[in-house]
Amino acid sequence: MKKIIVFGSNILDMFFEVPDFGFFSQSGAGAEDAMHFKTHKQAPGGKGANQAVAAAKAGAKVKFYGALGKGAHARFILDNFKAHKIDTKGIIQTDEPTGCAAIFTKPDGKHKIIVSQGANGLARADQIPDAQLNPNTILLLQAEMNATENQKLMQRGKAAGATIVLNVAPAKPMSAKTLACVDYLIVNEPEAEALAKNLNLPTDNLQSAAQTIAKKFNLMCIVTLGEKGSLAYNATMPEPLHVPALSIKVKDTVGAGDAFAGAFAAALAKDLPAELALRHAAVAGSLACRKFGAQTALPTEAEIAAALPKLKVLSPVKSAARALSRPLSKLTR
Ligand code: RIB
C-alpha cells in the first residue's frame, strides 16, 4: 500500500444551530447585533485534517504536516490524530493560535462557515523531508493552505514521482504552474467556476471548462455535484464518467467534500483504479452527510465496503449524456 502525505489545515470547529440565516442579513431598525445560544458543539475540523482522518478511517496509512498553536485546542487536535493512528511528527507548534471556525447549521443540513486560519498560515512545504516524496507517495492537498507553499510542495512531489491529489477548496485561483503538477483535481461546482474564470475559460459551460482543464494539464478533473454524484474528465475519455451519490437522509453536509477527497486518496493508496476510487469516494461523501460535523461523521473502511454495493452502476455514456444535457450549474440547484 502507498502512504498518504497530507499537507493541510487544522481548524477547531464550533457548531451553532440556527433556524435560518436571517440574522446575517438583518440591517436597519430593530436589527440585533448579537445572537445568543444555549449551547454549541466542538469538533476537530479543517479541510486538511478532515481529509487525513477520512483517509485513515478508510484504511490508509497517513502522515500529516501542518501547523498548530500551543494551547488546549492544539492538544485536542493532536489527541484526535493519534486516536486515528495518523503520524503527527511533522506538525509544528507555533505562537499563533490554532485555527478555528464558527459553523452555523440549519435544520435542512445547509451551513455557513467563518474561518480564522491562525497557525495554519505558518505551515511550510519544507516541513516535509525529501525522503517522504517518492513514487510510493500520494500527496493530498487543499486550498486552505498558503498557495506558494502548496505550489513548492507539489513541484517537489511531482519531480519525485509522487501522485498529486489537489482539492481546490475553498475556491481559489490556481496558476498554470500549479495545475501542471496535479494528477487528480477535485472541485465542487463553485470551485470549478472560480477556476474556469481564473483560467479565462467559459463559466457558462463548466463541463467544457472541466474537459479543457483535464486536457490542457493532462489530469483527471473531478467535479463533485452533491446529491447528483460526480463527473470525472480526463484527456482520453470521450465522455465524462458519471458516478452517482448514495441516496441518504441528509443531516449535515459539513465535510462531505473532505470525506470524498480522503476516501478517494485512500483507494488510490490501495492501488485501486481511479474509476473504482471514485465509487469509494462517492460512498464516503454520501455517508458523511448522515451525522453532525465533519470528522465526527466520517465513515470507516467497513462502512464504505458495506455501502458500496448500494451505489448504482450507471451506463457511462447514457448517464453522462443525461447529466450533460443541462449545464453543470443547473444540476445542483
Ligand atoms: O470542509 C469543511 C471544513 O471547512 C470545516 O471542518 C471547517 O473547519 C472548514 O475549514
Side-chain angles (χ1 to χ4, degrees), residues 11 13 45-47 50 101 103 113 115 144 254-255 258 294:
I11 307 274
D13 289 344
K47 295 182 191 304
N50 295 347
I103 305 185
I113 308 187
V115 179
E144 223 161 31
V254 177
D258 299 329

Side-chain angles (χ1 to χ4, degrees), residues 101-126:
I103 305 185
F104 301 90
T105 59
K106 280 202 298 163
D108 65 1
K110 299 234 165 58
H111 60 266
K112 288 203 185 288
I113 308 187
I114 297 168
V115 179
S116 166
Q117 72 164 352
N120 291 299
L122 299 178
R124 293 292 171 261
D126 61 15

Side-chain angles (χ1 to χ4, degrees), residues 5 19 21 29 39 49 55 81 96 128 139 165-166 190 192 198 213 242 248 270 305 309:
I5 300 263
F21 297 139
T39 189
F81 276 141
E96 275 291 306
I128 297 130
L139 198 51
V165 182
L166 173 65
N198 165 240
I213 291 170
H242 183 201
I248 44 136
K270 293 176 198 166

Side-chain angles (χ1 to χ4, degrees), residues 68-85:
L68 290 167
K70 288 181 176 155
H73 291 178
R75 283 196 294 281
F76 176 66
I77 286 170
L78 286 170
D79 286 349
N80 174 60
F81 276 141
K82 284 176 191 148
H84 290 100
K85 302 196 167 39

